[in-house]
Amino acid sequence: MPETQNPSRLPAVLPFWLSIALIPLAWVAASMGGWALLVLPAVTWYLFSILDLITGLNLENADPQTDDNELFWYKTVTVIWAPLQLMTIYGLLFYVTRTDHLAAWEEWALFAGVGVISGTIGINFSHELMHQKPKLERWMADILLASVLYSHFRSEHLLVHHRYVATPKDPVTARYGEGFWRFFPRVLRECYTSAFRAEKAMLARKNLPWTHRSNPFWRYWAMQALFLTVAIWVGGLWGLFLFVTQAVWAFFQLEVVNYIEHYGLTRRHLGDGKYEHVKPRHSWNSAQKASNWLLINLQRHSDHHYKPDRRFPLLQNYDQAEAPQLPYGYPLMTMAALSPRIWRKIMNPRVQNWRAQYYPDITDWTPYKNATNPMPR
């Protein structure tokens, strides 16, 4: 893996700030209505898919030992997104509930588009922030997740997903052959309970009940209640409905991404409920340049699971010899995931090739099929 990219150079930093441009686009959509309401999903889903075709792949890697002080502008864009997102959501709520040029369906469509932003960018940035040590960054992660009513994602991701990824014990590792429309309701149901049980188990190891004030779920519930209350204060019950609309679209976006990141991949079972260590081969990798700008290198997911605390500009790309490759970037792959028939046609042969490449000795994959809840009740 070549290490030729200097992450501190301005040309390397600027593309990761492209997401900021989505905020004025949201206001343009709100002021114009009609066809302009298509701008936000069109930019995030379609425009970046086209840009991927134009810009190609980025196979270069930054030096993973780069000093943290050289990453100031990368860190800044993720930290400032939380206040920008809150101002956008509540500012638009204030605006649409006090003007009459948008029909009710247009206001709904607007906040669905805002949910595309708060899911594609907001939750993604929260994912980066929750893995960092500074308290400010972890607080920004909590704020972003509470603003889309998905605070439990932090506990589920850090305590369950990273520990059990690519095993039947991980709810968000999509099973081979499992369509997205079966996956989505399953993870909504299982991830909340697995996150709560993980926190409860941690407290139990300290001889503390789940009701102890150190349980982060108290913070999750309080922050979400606060944001819902502010939505009612700003826009009444209709404002509450619009706020929830953007939240649902946001975590829908998250779970489509979760679906594609590990689809069909499994770690070798060693017996007695143990699995091999996580390796780059246990996540789908994607080197598409433009969508990695938008998603701050989330598509270098193989390295993220290999080195979870590595900041996004330092994530490494892997080739086919070390990690399985998606044929396209996340924007296009998430659209394909919504059609199980198209998804299976694209991905099932790749999973079969992955099995033959990395685990040619395993002939019976039945034990890797079914989920079992890893958390004690």
Side-chain angles (χ1 to χ4, degrees):
M1 295 182 292
E3 296 178 358
T4 59
Q5 196 178 63
N6 183 352
S8 63
R9 292 176 60 245
L10 190 61
V13 175
L14 285 178
F16 293 104
W17 281 70
L18 286 172
S19 55
I20 301 296
L22 294 173
I23 293 177
L25 287 180
W27 283 97
V28 169
S31 63
M32 296 181 64
W35 65 268
L37 297 170
L38 298 174
V39 168
L40 293 175
V43 168
T44 53
W45 296 340
Y46 298 104
L47 177 60
F48 275 86
S49 295
I50 295 170
L51 289 176
D52 274 340
L53 295 176
I54 296 171
T55 59
L57 306 180
N58 177 17
L59 305 178
E60 294 182 340
N61 289 319
D63 181 356
Q65 303 302 319
T66 301
D67 191 274
D68 206 53
N69 293 326
E70 296 185 49
L71 305 178
F72 173 81
W73 290 109
Y74 295 97
K75 293 184 287 184
T76 300
V77 71
T78 59
V79 170
I80 67 172
W81 184 264
L84 290 176
Q85 179 168 300
L86 289 181
M87 287 189 290
T88 302
I89 292 172
Y90 289 116
L92 288 171
L93 271 183
F94 184 89
Y95 176 74
V96 302
T97 54
R98 286 161 179 80
T99 58
D100 57 5
H101 72 287
L102 295 177
W105 72 266
E106 289 177 296
E107 294 178 2
W108 178 90
L110 171 65
F111 276 83
V114 172
V116 172
I117 298 177
S118 55
T120 304
I121 309 301
I123 296 182
N124 187 29
F125 282 16
S126 78
H127 169 256
E128 169 74 8
L129 293 164
M130 73 174 67
H131 279 283
Q132 308 309 320
K133 294 180 180 179
K135 286 186 178 181
L136 173 63
E137 293 182 83
R138 285 180 284 158
W139 265 106
M140 292 300 104
D142 282 344
I143 290 170
L144 287 169
L145 292 175
S147 71
V148 295
L149 308 179
Y150 224 60
S151 297
H152 67 280
F153 174 63
R154 174 174 160 175
S155 294
E156 193 281 333
H157 185 79
L158 297 178
L159 302 181
V160 182
H161 178 59
H162 270 274
R163 182 178 180 183
Y164 295 109
V165 65
T167 78
K169 296 181 178 182
D170 176 35
V172 299
T173 294
R175 321 307 182 208
Y176 178 72
E178 180 181 33
F180 173 74
W181 299 107
R182 300 182 82 180
F183 170 86
F184 185 53
R186 179 177 67 76
V187 295
L188 290 183
R189 181 179 67 253
E190 293 181 6
C191 286
Y192 193 91
T193 55
S194 67
F196 187 85
R197 288 170 182 165
E199 295 290 357
K200 181 180 177 181
M202 285 189 66
L203 289 167
R205 288 193 287 271
K206 301 175 184 177
N207 295 317
L208 296 173
W210 74 264
T211 53
H212 193 267
R213 65 180 182 274
S214 62
N215 188 338
F217 271 80
W218 292 115
R219 182 172 70 254
Y220 300 162
W221 293 329
M223 294 178 71
Q224 291 177 178
L226 173 63
F227 288 145
L228 290 170
T229 301
V230 174
I232 295 173
W233 178 66
V234 172
L237 292 179
W238 181 244
L240 175 66
F241 171 75
L242 294 177
F243 182 89
V244 172
T245 293
Q246 71 82 27
V248 171
W249 276 88
F251 59 71
F252 177 83
Q253 288 281 124
L254 165 69
E255 296 304 352
V256 180
V257 170
N258 273 336
Y259 175 76
I260 70 176
E261 286 175 335
H262 307 280
Y263 173 80
L265 306 183
T266 51
R267 285 189 272 158
R268 183 189 296 275
H269 185 239
L270 303 178
D272 296 326
K274 297 179 180 179
Y275 294 85
E276 64 177 312
H277 290 300
V278 179
K279 299 177 182 178
R281 70 180 64 168
H282 299 122
S283 305
W284 290 100
N285 189 74
S286 180
Q288 272 69 21
K289 184 181 292 186
S291 47
N292 266 323
W293 290 337
L294 179 70
L295 301 172
I296 58 169
N297 282 342
L298 180 67
Q299 299 175 140
R300 293 188 168 194
H301 208 62
S302 297
D303 196 47
H304 169 68
H305 272 275
Y306 188 54
K307 298 287 184 181
D309 61 347
R310 182 173 285 168
R311 289 193 181 271
F312 78 86
L314 306 183
L315 289 172
Q316 306 291 287
N317 183 66
Y318 292 94
D319 59 24
Q320 182 64 44
E322 297 175 285
Q325 306 293 309
L326 291 174
Y328 311 106
Y330 280 14
L332 199 55
M333 293 305 297
T334 53
M335 288 186 280
L338 300 182
S339 172
R341 180 177 297 180
I342 293 174
W343 178 260
R344 288 194 294 269
K345 185 176 181 179
I346 295 173
M347 292 303 298
N348 282 10
R350 286 176 167 80
V351 175
Q352 294 291 343
N353 291 338
W354 175 87
R355 291 176 173 181
Q357 178 179 351
Y358 294 108
Y359 301 100
D361 57 308
I362 299 179
T363 56
D364 180 14
W365 290 89
T366 305
Y368 296 88
K369 262 188 181 181
N370 299 319
T372 55
N373 199 312
M375 290 298 128
R377 294 183 180 274

